[in-house]
Amino acid sequence: MIKYTVFPDYFSLSKAAAERIIRQIKHNPLTLLGLATGSTPIGLYARLIDQHRRGKLSLSRVTTFNLDEYVGIPKDHPQSYHVFMQKHLFDHVDIPPARRHFPDTDKSGTQYDLQIMRSGGLDVQILGIGANGHIGFNEPGAAFDSKTRVVELAESTIRDNARFFDHSDEVPRQAITMGIATILQARHIILMANGANKAAAVAAAFQERPSVNVPASCLQTHHSVHVLLDTAAAGDLS
Ligand code: F6R
């Protein structure tokens, strides 16, 4: 089942997403969270940090599994997703380092999926969406039964990411990502999108028949998805 909520702006969207996560953690302090990087969840993470600083939220028993990481840049590269998570969440809250997980080319993707399963499975997976409809780094064409694996990034994703790197030849061409099947195993999924550049992808994902050409459309087959949009990202929905 898919529930949609449209918010007037990014701030209220982020606040609502954070409240959903906070409720989950209060209900079950041992929550397993699937985390995304990128610009979309920054406001949500800022709100979690704020609530933690005010003494209203502890994440000390939460376990996290990130969706993806680049291949070919070191973990301490300023654009790595490890560094992103430190900067936007981990450095400011009390999730113990041993409870934070990333897919890693040192291990097989299968090991990552098994680790998630053995930990009890993801309670909530947080997702953004690429302008080409990707989720994680599952680019158009990714099989709906795909598991965690190394993938080639789409040319459009490489172009989208180039703004974060000094030179275009520095932009990673590969990533390791949770697969679509891995994501769909989460009990609940929250997909957030803001900005007009996401409107077409959102409409293709949720208003057309599921297709591997639009990876996020796989979410139509999941039993518990909440899509949180700002008015711009909802602009192409009828
Ligand atoms: C990030 C991720 C990506 C992003 C997507 C949107 O971990 O998996 O799928 O969610 O590329 O990125 P932003 O939020 O920067 O627009």
Side-chain angles (χ1 to χ4, degrees):
M1 208 197 75
I2 305 189
K3 177 178 157 191
Y4 302 90
T5 314
V6 181
F7 297 88
D9 52 43
Y10 177 67
F11 180 79
S12 50
L13 184 167
S14 303
K15 184 163 172 254
E19 273 160 15
R20 169 69 182 81
I21 300 297
I22 292 166
R23 266 202 315 280
Q24 169 67 37
I25 295 169
K26 294 212 162 137
H27 169 72
N28 176 14
L30 289 164
T31 288
L32 256 75
L33 284 181
L35 300 178
T37 59
S39 55
T40 310
I42 291 178
L44 154 78
Y45 296 150
R47 179 90 186 166
L48 296 184
I49 294 167
D50 175 67
Q51 293 298 295
H52 174 69
R53 285 203 176 126
R54 289 168 194 263
K56 293 183 180 167
L57 176 70
S58 170
L59 297 104
S60 64
R61 298 170 74 200
V62 166
T63 299
T64 64
F65 285 89
N66 265 79
L67 269 173
D68 43 18
E69 177 56 286
Y70 288 121
V71 172
I73 57 171
K75 293 186 175 97
D76 61 357
H77 186 285
Q79 294 306 328
S80 81
Y81 288 170
H82 280 74
V83 169
F84 176 98
M85 289 309 304
Q86 295 288 355
K87 183 169 159 206
H88 292 288
L89 186 65
F90 294 155
D91 280 351
H92 315 284
V93 295
D94 55 347
I95 306 168
R99 287 183 178 269
R100 312 169 189 165
H101 306 279
F102 286 83
D104 191 334
T105 47
D106 290 348
K107 289 178 274 170
S108 73
T110 313
Q111 276 175 288
Y112 196 61
D113 290 338
L114 273 175
Q115 199 176 11
I116 295 173
M117 251 166 53
R118 290 195 182 123
S119 312
L122 297 171
D123 293 297
V124 183
Q125 174 66 56
I126 298 164
L127 294 177
I129 181 171
N132 65 358
H134 74 208
I135 50 172
F137 274 129
N138 296 285
E139 300 285 21
F144 283 4
D145 62 358
S146 54
K147 303 283 177 54
T148 300
R149 69 212 183 285
V150 173
V151 294
E152 305 293 321
L153 301 186
E155 278 305 319
S156 60
T157 302
I158 295 169
R159 274 198 307 276
D160 282 353
N161 290 344
R163 64 187 190 278
F164 301 116
F165 292 83
D166 293 338
H167 300 288
S168 60
D169 54 0
E170 264 188 67
V171 188
R173 266 41 188 177
Q174 287 188 321
I176 180 162
T177 182
M178 276 188 204
I180 290 187
T182 314
I183 293 170
L184 290 176
Q185 273 165 9
R187 289 184 192 88
H188 304 282
I189 296 176
I190 292 180
L191 180 137
M192 293 184 282
N194 64 290
N197 65 324
K198 299 294 174 68
V202 167
F206 298 109
Q207 285 198 161
E208 285 164 30
R209 283 167 143 261
S211 154
V212 294
N213 298 326
V214 184
S217 66
C218 71
L219 300 175
Q220 292 182 37
T221 67
H222 193 273
H223 61 278
S224 176
V225 179
H226 191 174
V227 179
L228 295 92
L229 305 168
D230 72 352
T231 39
D236 286 2
L237 289 175
S238 50

